[in-house]
Amino acid sequence: GIDCSGDSRMCCRKEFFVDFKEIGWEDWIIQPEGYHMNYCTGLCPLHMAGIPGLAASFHTAVLNLIKANNADAAVDSCCVPTQRRPLSLLYYDRDSNIIKTDIPDMIVEACGCT
Amino acid sequence: APKGAWCPACGLAALAPTTQRDALIALAKQSILTKLRLQDRPNITHPTSRGALLTALHRMRAQRVDVAVSPGMPHDGSIPHLRPGMGLQEYEILSFAESGSSTSRSVRLHFHFTRELTGSTEILQATLYLFWAVPGPRTRPVTVRLLQPDAMGLNMTVASKTWLKVQRPGWATLDVGQAVQSLFGQGSQRLTVELEVPEDWGSPVLAGRSDSHWPFVAAQARARTPHRVQRR
């Protein structure tokens, strides 16, 4: 997958870090210090459809051209997460018990076109 | 998106940077609270001391390495270690004791579990950790009763009773998985442990709350599998 940088308009992963201290949650969330709430954004032109991330090889480029020429056969394509990982939290609950849990699929690692 | 149609992903990009940031932070908060089954962020009344937390985490790790169950609780069919759930969210819970009523020879300890957990998880295992600061070996055992509220919630009934031999100062563990599981099953949220020592002991010698040897229950729980309706 590709990380968004500069004025890239193609499908990419936008990093966004939520610092728990900044939002006043550091008193009840012991670990970690924040949450990487990355998200996918950018365009998925039809000839990019179905390829995780951006074209990175000659073969893929040719495949894209074939797809582009048959554009009318293709349907819409969206920029979505292709890899995600859990968010591990150590936090206090209402009774001041300490809970450790891994929330699955909370952090986007990579994006690609459907 | 075609001209004029509203594109959900683009909507965010169209916002001013500060508005966009506020929207993302609100989304992050909501997402975490929803996944933790919390209505709102908890307000912490008495945070655990760092020492007690580190001691408890260290004890739990040491216990896992030993994989030895204490001599105290006879195995009365403790919760069979259910196969780790494939992809189901799991929880490790550390509940530190709250002091209850006490006499010259007994003390009650209360352990609270929140409704979010008792209603939506199943207990895989639970262990009570007690630190004895007695000066030397004691011949006669400590009586440990696990109490839970009766059906009306008015009186406490004895859920199980066991004897704990204290050979030397240090940590002792008891398997309380069955008792915690039945509590959760009845929708109750509080486990009460009563410790009674023989006459020649003097008062039950447990470390003080400020000390990092305060009693705690370490439990492993797993989200209940969502109820599936089988269509035939």
Side-chain angles (χ1 to χ4, degrees):
Chain A
I2 304 289
D3 280 347
C4 300
S5 59
D7 52 358
S8 147
R9 289 170 48 80
M10 304 303 281
C11 176
C12 57
R13 179 187 70 154
K14 185 92 171 165
E15 296 220 341
F16 184 77
F17 183 67
V18 181
D19 185 313
F20 291 141
K21 191 177 280 257
E22 265 182 39
I23 61 174
W25 276 16
E26 81 286 358
D27 61 329
W28 73 280
I29 295 184
I30 305 165
Q31 283 290 332
E33 293 176 358
Y35 165 35
H36 289 275
M37 193 181 86
N38 310 323
Y39 59 93
C40 300
T41 185
L43 301 174
C44 278
L46 293 183
H47 63 283
M48 293 296 298
I51 296 197
L54 289 178
S57 70
F58 175 73
H59 169 75
T60 313
V62 169
L63 186 65
N64 291 341
L65 287 175
I66 293 169
K67 283 189 178 180
N69 295 331
N70 303 327
D72 56 333
V75 292
D76 273 356
S77 168
C78 291
C79 181
V80 294
T82 52
Q83 279 175 37
R84 291 185 290 180
R85 63 184 162 90
L87 169 63
S88 293
L89 283 179
L90 186 70
Y91 66 96
Y92 283 106
D93 69 7
R94 276 186 294 123
D95 290 315
S96 296
N97 292 333
I98 292 166
I99 316 276
K100 178 190 174 298
T101 190
D102 297 340
I103 307 176
D105 294 338
M106 279 290 272
I107 299 174
V108 173
E109 290 273 77
C111 301
C113 294
T114 57
Chain B
K3 277 279 169 257
W6 187 71
C7 157
C10 315
L12 202 59
L15 293 175
T18 49
T19 317
Q20 190 179 114
R21 180 172 175 71
D22 295 346
L24 284 169
I25 286 178
L27 193 63
K29 286 180 171 181
Q30 191 51 49
S31 173
I32 290 175
L33 291 174
T34 304
K35 298 282 184 164
L36 296 181
R37 298 183 174 88
L38 297 175
Q39 295 289 324
D40 201 343
R41 53 142 294 166
N43 287 314
I44 310 308
T45 48
H46 46 268
T48 304
S49 76
R50 191 169 180 77
L53 173 57
L54 292 176
T55 304
L57 292 173
H58 174 71
R59 282 310 309 163
M60 285 164 65
R61 193 163 300 118
Q63 173 79 1
R64 261 190 226 131
V65 169
D66 300 347
V67 191
V69 179
S70 83
M73 174 77 82
H75 259 289
D76 55 357
S78 64
I79 304 280
H81 288 224
L82 304 173
R83 188 174 58 79
M86 307 306 286
L88 285 171
Q89 197 164 339
E90 301 210 353
Y91 300 85
E92 293 193 51
I93 306 159
L94 266 182
S95 184
F96 287 88
E98 178 194 280
S99 298
S101 58
S102 62
T103 67
S104 59
R105 284 185 29 226
S106 72
V107 64
R108 281 191 176 182
L109 303 171
H110 302 299
F111 299 90
H112 297 270
F113 298 93
T114 56
R115 193 177 324 151
E116 288 82 9
L117 278 175
T118 58
S120 59
T121 60
E122 57 189 334
I123 289 291
L124 304 178
Q125 65 182 17
T127 305
L128 168 64
Y129 288 78
L130 296 165
F131 185 85
W132 298 104
V134 290
R138 287 293 192 269
T139 50
R140 297 171 59 197
V142 177
T143 306
V144 183
R145 293 184 188 85
L146 302 184
L147 310 176
Q148 57 190 38
D150 64 7
M152 303 300 288
L154 302 174
N155 306 310
M156 299 300 277
T157 58
V158 178
S160 74
K161 178 174 169 181
T162 184
W163 289 269
L164 189 60
K165 277 192 180 308
V166 181
Q167 313 289 1
R168 60 189 172 283
W171 287 100
T173 58
L174 289 181
D175 181 344
V176 293
Q178 205 74 36
V180 177
Q181 177 65 20
S182 86
L183 268 183
F184 280 26
Q186 292 171 27
S188 171
Q189 279 120 41
R190 187 175 83 166
L191 169 71
T192 297
V193 177
E194 184 179 76
L195 306 174
E196 184 184 349
V197 297
E199 294 82 1
D200 61 352
W201 264 51
S203 70
V205 194
L206 280 175
R209 166 139 206 144
S210 57
D211 194 304
S212 59
H213 293 92
W214 187 242
F216 64 93
V217 166
Q220 281 192 325
R222 185 175 68 208
R224 284 186 197 288
T225 43
H227 185 61
R228 294 189 193 293
V229 179
Q230 300 291 341
R231 289 191 192 290
R232 294 193 187 288

